[in-house]
Amino acid sequence: RDVPAGSPLHMTYGDPTNPSFLFARYGFIDESSPATFCKIIPTHIDKKIQDMGYAHERMLFYKDTGEASEEVFDVLLYQILGSNAAKRREFYKAHMEGDYETKQKFHENYWPETSAKLYQHLETFLQQLDQLSAKSYDKNIYEHPRLPVILKHNEFVRNTLLTVQEFHDQKKIKMVLKIFSPQRW
């Protein structure tokens, strides 16, 4: 299409919330990205889990704040409820009908399990990143010229995961203080 003279031109190479895609496709890491895909990959992805929000551009960890998108918690809880078909159906129905109150009650009731599943994911992924980085220490950079950018990408992801972990550690502390607050007695 015709563009008027003096107009700014922009080209988008991909989703700004998925620097891993940009890295894999174009070979560079966009550290200005506000968020990244949380790297949670269910063993079975079906329409219902997609309805719950499973998509790389929606399942996000925010690099500066450490927050996780609502979809991360919805998908984690949906997985946790897999052992209780009736509860899973009720949670799914509430999600699909936009019943925020019911969804919130589920999240409150299952917070310890959801939090533990998130923390387990963070710990496991951080360990994997550390193991991958350790493998690179004895590699010749001239034989593996992309290694520095790979390590830079892994460090971006690692720092984001650590920020998420720190944020949720603080959230746990606040919840415990709220539960054991003298005002509740």
Side-chain angles (χ1 to χ4, degrees), residues 33-160:
S33 179
T36 187
F37 172 58
C38 67
K39 314 293 191 241
I40 294 172
I41 303 175
T43 53
H44 178 70
I45 300 170
D46 61 13
K47 181 174 177 358
K48 286 187 176 181
I49 205 160
Q50 289 174 332
D51 289 344
M52 293 302 301
Y54 184 81
H56 289 208
E57 69 277 2
R58 293 176 64 196
M59 300 265 303
L60 303 175
F61 287 155
Y62 294 91
K63 78 168 189 178
D64 294 329
T65 64
E67 294 175 281
S69 65
E70 181 180 342
E71 290 83 358
V72 170
F73 293 106
D74 287 347
V75 168
L76 287 174
L77 181 51
Y78 186 75
Q79 289 177 306
I80 290 164
L81 294 172
S83 60
N84 185 330
K87 293 280 186 196
R88 190 179 217 193
R89 275 192 304 276
E90 185 182 350
F91 181 65
Y92 179 79
K93 181 180 177 205
H95 177 80
M96 295 304 290
E97 292 176 356
D99 182 353
Y100 179 79
E101 286 182 31
T102 301
K103 264 183 72 173
Q104 201 58 30
K105 286 179 186 172
F106 267 98
H107 281 295
E108 289 171 8
N109 291 338
Y110 287 91
W111 175 249
E113 294 91 338
T114 307
S115 179
K117 193 167 182 74
L118 175 64
Y119 198 81
Q120 178 187 19
H121 167 69
L122 293 167
E123 281 296 310
T124 301
F125 212 87
L126 285 165
Q127 288 173 359
Q128 290 173 348
L129 287 172
D130 289 344
Q131 291 168 355
L132 289 171
S133 293
K135 287 182 179 182
S136 71
Y137 295 144
D138 63 346
K139 302 294 182 202
N140 182 327
I141 200 163
Y142 296 107
E143 292 177 23
H144 305 280
R146 290 179 41 92
L147 192 56
V149 75
I150 291 169
L151 291 172
K152 189 172 186 175
H153 169 265
N154 288 355
E155 190 63 23
F156 174 85
V157 172
R158 185 178 197 291
N159 288 338
T160 301

